Amino acid sequence: MTVAFIFPGQGSQAIGMGKALFDAFAASRKIFEEVDEALGEKLSTLMFEGDPAQLQLTANAQPALMAVSLAALRALESEAGAVLARDVKFVAGHSLGEYSALAAAGALKIADAARLLRLRGKAMQAAVPVGAGAMAALIGADPELAAKIAGEATAASGVLCEVANDNGGGQIVVSGARQAVELAIEIAKENGVKRAMLLPVSAPFHCALMRPAADAMREALAATEIQPPAVDLVANVTAAPTRDPDEIRQLLVAQVCGAVRWRECMGFMHRQGVELFVEIGAGKVLAGLVKRTAEGARSLNVGVPSDVESFKLTA
């Protein structure tokens, strides 16, 4: 069976995530300890029993989600005998999940990934004043219609609105200045889009307004060692495979302002023969999208100890 490991992005965080892995598996526990040490604070305590509002902060949610993903992967390795380089054809991650995918495949050290994601979260939040930007989901729109809506909203408002995520299954997200995004919602309704609604996010991710954050990540990534991953990474902004460290560095910078082409990423992997997509980490968002983006493929998610047992049975 041909397998891809996929890694979730922001929105899957919840207090208590990763605690069962921490309690059950020594290999998982080491990941949380390594992330805590890299950040110089007990992020794990916030994740397991802290204030939900603090965990929602982008600078905390991003490294926290990466930690859960890597802890789940270590559980698969130690308890189910999984070997990524042997068992997996591709890795991919949604937005911040791309860092998790790279750490899983050995391209980034876990401590480096944690520090990069902390910086990424802070830089993205700082790029646009709170309240000045927004994101909206257009449910039932295709990519062409979403791009048309965003363009019309930009032209009418005089400020930016762009397509930020193409998640598949008619789930498109637009991002930009609040005035333009709110106008895009109205235009979407006029164009027959089933649902159009603001998302509860703190910044307009994956649009050109994030350029200051992209500049910060360019500088940080230039100083970070990146190794060729053990398997191909299917990148967010190209929906194409790569193992080249210099290209990966450039793609991670481009990803800050660029759209997440998740539908195309999944379609590419499925056409290359992937039959099973395993979501590694918190939540089940990506596994739930598999039926809409890779018809006929199967999905699993691995985020708690019982999921490790399910993976054994599947494998």
Side-chain angles (χ1 to χ4, degrees):
M1 182 182 299
T2 306
V3 177
F5 280 0
I6 55 178
F7 297 82
Q10 201 162 335
S12 293
Q13 67 273 8
I15 294 297
M17 67 179 187
K19 181 65 163 61
L21 293 169
F22 180 94
D23 291 340
F25 307 122
S28 300
R29 198 151 49 246
K30 287 180 182 176
I31 294 294
F32 293 113
E33 292 167 352
E34 187 171 352
V35 170
D36 285 350
E37 183 177 354
L39 298 179
E41 63 182 70
K42 283 282 190 179
L43 181 63
S44 59
T45 300
L46 171 61
M47 294 162 60
F48 299 159
E49 57 189 46
D51 177 359
Q54 289 297 309
L55 182 60
Q56 294 292 342
L57 294 176
T58 302
N60 291 328
Q62 294 197 18
L65 286 162
M66 185 277 296
V68 177
S69 288
L70 271 293
L73 177 68
R74 292 292 182 264
L76 285 182
E77 293 170 344
S78 65
E79 306 301 316
V83 178
L84 187 147
R86 179 193 68 199
D87 301 332
V88 175
K89 185 167 185 176
F90 299 108
V91 294
H94 193 284
S95 191
L96 81 90
E98 196 155 85
Y99 287 78
S100 306
L102 288 165
L108 283 173
K109 295 175 184 175
I110 291 167
D112 286 341
R115 286 189 286 262
L116 286 168
L117 286 171
R118 169 57 58 81
L119 173 64
R120 183 177 183 268
K122 287 183 174 179
M124 291 174 104
Q125 188 62 68
V128 177
V130 174
M135 300 181 77
L138 310 183
I139 308 299
D142 60 38
E144 292 75 19
L145 177 57
K148 175 178 175 287
I149 290 167
E152 289 182 8
T154 298
S157 67
V159 287
L160 183 77
C161 180
E162 293 180 337
V163 173
N165 298 348
D166 176 4
N167 291 328
Q171 293 187 24
I172 310 284
V173 176
V174 296
S175 180
R178 177 171 288 273
Q179 180 185 352
V181 172
E182 289 176 344
L183 183 56
I185 291 173
E186 298 308 313
I187 296 171
K189 292 174 180 176
E190 293 167 3
N191 279 267
V193 172
K194 190 190 310 182
R195 291 178 67 200
M197 55 194 176
L198 287 173
L199 294 174
V201 296
S202 56
F205 305 126
H206 297 292
C207 75
L209 298 181
M210 290 285 107
R211 195 164 307 283
D215 293 340
M217 294 312 297
R218 181 179 294 106
E219 182 178 349
L221 285 159
T224 301
E225 181 183 9
I226 300 179
Q227 297 291 334
V231 300
D232 283 348
L233 169 80
V234 180
N236 283 188
V237 296
T238 60
T242 183
R243 292 195 198 187
D244 179 73
D246 288 335
E247 184 180 15
I248 288 168
R249 193 174 275 110
Q250 293 168 10
L251 291 169
L252 289 174
V253 174
Q255 185 221 61
V256 177
C257 294
V260 176
R261 296 166 59 184
W262 191 251
R263 175 183 57 84
E264 294 172 80
C265 290
M266 295 292 288
F268 170 81
M269 290 185 280
H270 191 38
R271 290 193 300 275
Q272 297 301 309
V274 173
E275 303 161 274
L276 176 65
F277 291 90
V278 183
E279 182 174 11
I280 311 287
K284 303 179 182 180
V285 172
L286 301 183
L289 287 172
V290 168
K291 289 181 182 178
R292 302 173 185 175
T293 53
E295 186 176 353
R298 298 168 55 214
S299 64
L300 282 177
N301 60 288
V302 177
V304 296
S306 60
D307 295 335
V308 177
E309 293 301 316
S310 298
F311 180 88
K312 285 183 189 179
L313 295 174
T314 302

